[in-house]
Amino acid sequence: MLRIGMLTSGGDCQALNAAMRGVYKTVTNNSKEPVEFYGFEDGYKGMIYSHFHLLKDEDFTNILTIGGTILGTSRVPFKTIREPDAKGLDKVEAMKQTYRKLQLDCLVMLGGNGSHKTANLLSEEGLNVITLPKTIDNDLWGTDMTFGFQTAVDVATRCMDEIHTTASSHGRVFIIEVMGHKVGWLPLNAGIAGGADIILLPEIPYDIDKVVETIEKRDRAGKRFSIIAVAEGAISKEDAALSKKEYKKKLAKSEYPSVSYEVADQIFKKTGKEVRVTVPGHTQRGGAPCPYDRVFASRLGAEAGKLILDREFGFMVGYKNREMVKVPLAEVAGKLKTIDPEARIIKESKLLGISFGDE
Ligand code: F6P
């Protein structure tokens, strides 16, 4: 008997179900021995508190196209994983016990950055772990692509497409706040696809005067509107010069709900122009996965299934230089794949006339 536990951890994204279906189909279609799949509910919490159920064929029927996760998810921050819970329970020990109680041969974890730190810890603690890279942020180290990202780019781009018509009718400045606190792949790609004139990213601190210069230059050229894609974690040059502690203090005192509103206010004060902010928020993580994500997640699932059948553990399945690869968990955990401000895509965007508010 081959026994596999599966969980989805952290923020949800599109194609989690497609990926799990890929693992399930691959293992059940190709295993020489009987297989049991257990689904842990709400991420690592399901393992800590022994909330799980046996997964059956029907659980995986008709889920390829469905967003969200059939298992539920939650955030269990890695920094608290070694701290006992409110009742004094040792979370790591509890997860190990659940794994042993179910006599699992492997745990399959679908997650992003923080979740990979926990997966690596469990692997170091002796559990057989295989992971799949999920996140709309595409910021996981060790893979060029994560599933969920392409669908989120579609959603954010559609939002920008729709704003374009109103921006042009009214001759306004529109800010679209795109998800991405630490890393800007999503705002960058949606910004380019959505024809943004200015893109503000966490990796490239902006100068508000440069942002205003770009808007005024467009005005002089007779353009009626400007579209700005602002990452949730966009940061001004002055704020980037602050220490982390000082910046946190400043944010806590801020009168603005997010950086976009601060940018909007500054533009209004400096230009007198009408500025509007649109925040697509969690719609970027929702809805059906696009065909790219369905294919990609299914392929990742198949590769993960094959690793399980071959009894190869301790890896994340990733995609590098157009090849599916297995990356040791220790290499993935704790690292972010950020945008290099000198990257080709940034230079190309600048050639296209997109401003990042930096020069
Ligand atoms: O990591 C995915 C993500 O959607 C980020 O882009 C965003 O900053 C964050 O999660 C939002 O988290 P939550 O759903 O907990 O508000």
Side-chain angles (χ1 to χ4, degrees):
M1 174 72 77
L2 184 58
R3 290 194 183 83
I4 298 161
M6 196 145 63
L7 64 85
T8 51
S9 170
D12 75 341
C13 73
Q14 304 89 346
L16 280 163
N17 291 328
M20 288 191 277
R21 172 182 172 271
V23 180
Y24 181 82
K25 275 184 170 260
T26 301
V27 176
T28 51
N29 285 342
N30 299 288
S31 172
K32 293 193 175 69
E33 51 188 324
V35 185
E36 273 180 2
F37 266 86
Y38 292 90
F40 292 110
E41 293 148 24
D42 298 336
Y44 286 113
K45 276 188 187 167
M47 251 187 122
I48 297 169
Y49 300 108
S50 254
H51 296 158
F52 58 82
H53 56 274
L54 188 65
L55 294 165
K56 308 204 187 75
D57 260 1
E58 50 267 36
D59 292 309
F60 294 93
T61 304
N62 262 333
I63 63 166
L64 174 65
T65 62
I66 315 278
T69 157
I70 57 166
L71 297 180
T73 188
S74 67
R75 293 190 191 276
V76 180
F78 179 71
K79 60 177 181 220
T80 66
I81 207 79
R82 285 289 189 191
E83 291 167 15
D85 78 352
K87 290 189 175 156
L89 182 78
D90 181 328
K91 294 173 207 148
V92 177
E93 265 322 299
M95 287 195 273
K96 284 161 67 178
Q97 268 175 30
T98 308
Y99 182 95
R100 295 205 179 105
K101 181 174 71 184
L102 288 172
Q103 297 178 10
L104 296 181
D105 295 289
C106 170
L107 170 71
V108 179
M109 194 289 295
L110 295 82
N113 255 293
S115 308
H116 269 83
K117 292 191 214 166
T118 303
N120 183 46
L121 173 71
L122 292 177
S123 171
E124 285 171 353
E125 291 281 327
L127 273 50
N128 293 331
V129 183
I130 290 293
T131 69
L132 292 177
K134 72 90 238 205
T135 166
I136 63 164
D137 299 328
N138 194 24
D139 59 355
L140 257 177
W141 187 264
T143 184
D144 294 341
M145 185 57 64
T146 58
F147 63 86
F149 174 68
Q150 294 292 347
T151 312
V153 171
D154 284 359
V155 176
T157 302
R158 236 175 5 250
C159 173
M160 261 177 255
D161 290 350
E162 280 155 15
I163 290 295
H164 251 97
T165 54
T166 303
S168 122
S169 311
H170 287 263
R172 283 174 179 162
V173 174
F174 259 96
I175 291 178
I176 294 97
E177 184 173 289
V178 182
M179 276 187 164
H181 263 301
K182 292 189 182 146
V183 177
W185 293 110
L186 178 53
L188 173 62
N189 282 269
I192 298 171
D197 308 297
I198 300 165
I199 303 176
L200 304 184
L201 302 174
E203 293 93 333
I204 307 180
Y206 65 85
D207 173 345
I208 195 66
D209 290 328
K210 300 288 175 199
V211 173
V212 166
E213 249 174 49
T214 305
I215 295 168
E216 288 177 338
K217 194 169 152 209
R218 283 178 57 78
D219 267 2
R220 288 195 296 277
K223 309 280 162 92
R224 280 177 54 76
F225 64 89
S226 291
I227 301 280
I228 314 181
V230 174
E232 283 175 311
I235 186 163
S236 67
K237 288 192 176 181
E238 303 89 77
D239 287 349
L242 297 175
S243 70
K244 258 192 183 171
K245 207 169 157 198
E246 288 168 330
Y247 182 52
K248 265 195 176 170
K249 219 164 145 190
K250 190 193 156 189
L251 282 184
K253 279 201 213 141
S254 171
E255 60 185 290
Y256 305 106
S258 70
V259 62
S260 297
Y261 292 89
E262 184 177 355
V263 171
D265 195 32
Q266 287 173 321
I267 295 171
F268 171 69
K269 285 183 179 142
K270 284 177 187 273
T271 66
K273 284 182 139 324
E274 270 197 273
V275 190
R276 293 287 188 273
V277 177
T278 297
V279 184
H282 289 79
T283 65
Q284 293 162 94
R285 294 215 310 244
C290 67
Y292 179 97
D293 273 335
R294 294 180 202 182
V295 174
F296 184 46
S298 300
R299 289 188 62 195
L300 289 169
E303 295 288 342
K306 187 162 182 315
L307 287 179
I308 295 168
L309 293 170
D310 293 345
R311 301 290 198 276
E312 283 198 69
F313 303 113
F315 296 104
M316 175 186 83
V317 183
Y319 189 65
K320 273 269 179 201
N321 304 320
R322 302 188 181 194
E323 293 288 346
M324 301 304 265
V325 290
K326 50 178 197 192
V327 192
L329 286 176
E331 272 180 34
V332 180
K335 285 186 228 141
L336 272 181
K337 185 181 70 197
T338 56
I339 301 172
D340 175 359
E342 297 301 319
R344 288 290 272 264
I345 188 165
I346 298 294
K347 290 191 173 143
E348 289 150 3
S349 301
K350 287 184 176 174
L351 288 172
L352 292 167
I354 296 171
S355 162
F356 291 88
D358 60 330
E359 52 185 35

